[in-house]
Amino acid sequence: MTAATRDTSLEAVYPDYLHCLAEADEHAAVEVARGVLDVGVAAERVLLDLVAPAQAEVGERWARNEWSVAQEHAATHISERVVAAVAAYADVRPTRARIVVACMDGEWHALPARLVAEVLRLRGWQVTFLGASVPAAHLVSYLHRHDAYAVALASALPMRLPHAHRMIEACRRSDVPVLVGGRGFGVDGRWARRLGVPWAANAPAAADLLGDERALRAAASADLAHLADDEYASLVNRRGELIDSALADLAQRFPAIRDHSPAQLDSTVSDLGYILDFLAAALYVDDGSLFTEFVEWLVTILDSRSVPAATVDASLAHYGGLLHDFPRAVDCLRRGRAALPVVDRQAA
């Protein structure tokens, strides 16, 4: 069977597979995957060219507020079941050393890391997948008990970068090489480079990097001298009081917030916390673009849920006033406000 035929086969079944996810039909989704495997499509291609793009579309539908959290969770569960079925179908026996794959502490998006784990397994590595949100101490304890050639750590959210750095350093103290992946390190791996750790853009790239021990161990030192100004640590210590102050300010500026349901209020508090967490991550790696990209994403998400950009602008302005003696933070907040769509600040 030619490569073109294989690509056409996956393209042909993709709408059917996505429909199975939309209908939460696990049996049918597994049958779609097995069907293309039966006609000769490689298991790796099914994972990377069918399951992965479909899951990305699931995330986009949630972001556009077309799917609820429950629908997204149901679809993700089915994708995980399909990944397991594909792995069982291939049934590759390990011939290479053990690789430990895990998600950062606080990172609950486990499916991308699971796809990497299964691709590595298909290529002969003995893989131990530890799943979502693995605490650093537990990971290190596992490494002490089980001999591992390398650790692959995944993160989808840049706000986890400070946690990621601690996990990376903990693994290195155990003399185990580390590679990282996921959008949490930047689409081009820029923040991985700031932390001095090898980065892989996708599962095949991770497999190639693991096959090159010299490149895997040739890690540079982290470039974090800017943390000496103490802005990051001070911001983290003040997180709770900053959220409380911003919530009170929003309630004064937008009286409708006072009538929020408990669920709506929790969402507002979470958003105010995310703003600070992404700001802290931007300070940690000294890159304002991290915060600006988050603000642009946040406004898009809130707009799909009919929350005006003026509320974000007001929160950024309030945080800027409270953090007036934090020059790097103030600069990030200023750039974040500049990235917002035009808002009526006087009315706000």
Side-chain angles (χ1 to χ4, degrees):
M1 181 175 293
T2 66
T5 302
R6 291 176 183 172
D7 292 343
T8 301
S9 177
L10 288 175
E11 291 173 357
V13 303
Y14 178 79
D16 295 333
Y17 181 75
L18 198 57
H19 178 74
C20 294
L21 298 184
E23 295 298 316
D25 191 337
E26 177 183 327
H27 177 77
V30 171
E31 285 301 305
V32 169
R34 284 178 176 162
V36 290
L37 290 168
D38 285 340
V39 297
V41 178
E44 183 172 320
R45 297 267 55 83
V46 175
L47 296 176
L48 299 180
D49 297 338
L50 180 65
V51 178
Q55 190 62 25
E57 175 60 22
V58 168
E60 289 296 322
R61 292 185 180 189
W62 170 84
R64 295 192 298 263
N65 205 28
E66 296 173 7
W67 280 16
S68 68
V69 171
Q71 289 174 294
E72 182 271 330
H73 284 185
T76 300
H77 169 73
I78 291 172
S79 293
E80 291 170 345
R81 297 290 293 168
V82 170
V83 171
V86 171
Y89 186 101
D91 193 27
V92 176
R93 301 301 179 187
T95 58
R96 309 174 78 173
R98 181 192 301 273
I99 306 297
V100 175
V101 180
C103 294
M104 300 295 176
D105 190 3
E107 175 60 67
W108 297 99
H109 297 81
L111 184 58
R114 174 74 185 279
L115 288 170
V116 171
E118 295 307 331
V119 168
L120 295 179
R121 204 186 311 274
L122 289 170
R123 296 195 178 194
W125 294 96
Q126 181 181 350
V127 179
T128 300
F129 179 59
L130 300 184
S133 189
V134 180
H138 293 201
L139 174 60
V140 171
S141 175
Y142 186 88
L143 295 178
H144 285 162
R145 293 171 55 191
H146 301 275
D147 185 34
Y149 172 76
V151 176
L153 299 175
S155 179
L157 299 174
M159 71 177 185
R160 302 297 179 197
L161 284 169
H163 298 284
H165 187 216
R166 288 191 283 272
M167 291 189 73
I168 291 164
E169 292 304 310
C171 292
R172 285 176 170 169
R173 286 193 293 271
S174 299
D175 197 31
V176 181
V178 184
L179 72 151
V180 298
R183 295 181 64 87
F185 294 96
V187 294
D188 57 357
R190 71 185 74 171
W191 301 316
R193 290 190 292 274
R194 179 57 59 91
L195 298 181
V197 62
W199 172 81
N202 48 44
D208 291 342
L209 184 55
L210 287 169
D212 185 347
E213 185 173 3
R214 178 177 296 180
L216 185 63
R217 289 186 174 273
S221 299
D223 181 14
L224 300 174
H226 52 272
L227 292 178
D229 65 13
D230 209 33
E231 282 198 32
Y232 165 76
S234 297
L235 177 63
V236 171
N237 289 336
R238 294 179 59 182
R239 185 180 187 273
E241 68 176 79
L242 289 169
I243 292 174
D244 290 342
S245 179
L247 182 62
D249 181 71
L250 280 179
Q252 182 177 1
R253 291 173 179 268
F254 303 92
I257 289 178
R258 301 169 189 168
D259 298 323
H260 274 6
S261 68
Q264 289 174 313
L265 188 61
D266 285 346
S267 293
T268 302
V269 171
S270 293
D271 290 338
L272 292 172
Y274 289 144
I275 291 172
L276 291 177
D277 293 340
F278 275 86
L279 177 60
L283 296 179
Y284 196 86
V285 296
D286 197 29
D287 188 346
S289 69
L290 186 159
F291 185 70
T292 301
E293 291 171 8
F294 160 72
V295 169
E296 293 172 339
W297 174 85
L298 178 63
V299 169
T300 300
I301 297 298
L302 294 180
D303 180 66
S304 71
R305 290 151 176 79
S306 301
V307 178
T311 59
V312 177
D313 181 69
S315 299
L316 299 185
H318 185 74
Y319 282 148
L322 295 176
L323 298 171
H324 59 87
D325 54 347
F326 290 52
R328 289 198 294 129
V330 168
D331 183 62
C332 286
L333 291 163
R334 177 188 58 79
R335 292 170 61 179
R337 294 186 74 191
L340 292 171
V342 176
V343 297
D344 188 344
R345 287 173 178 158
Q346 185 174 2

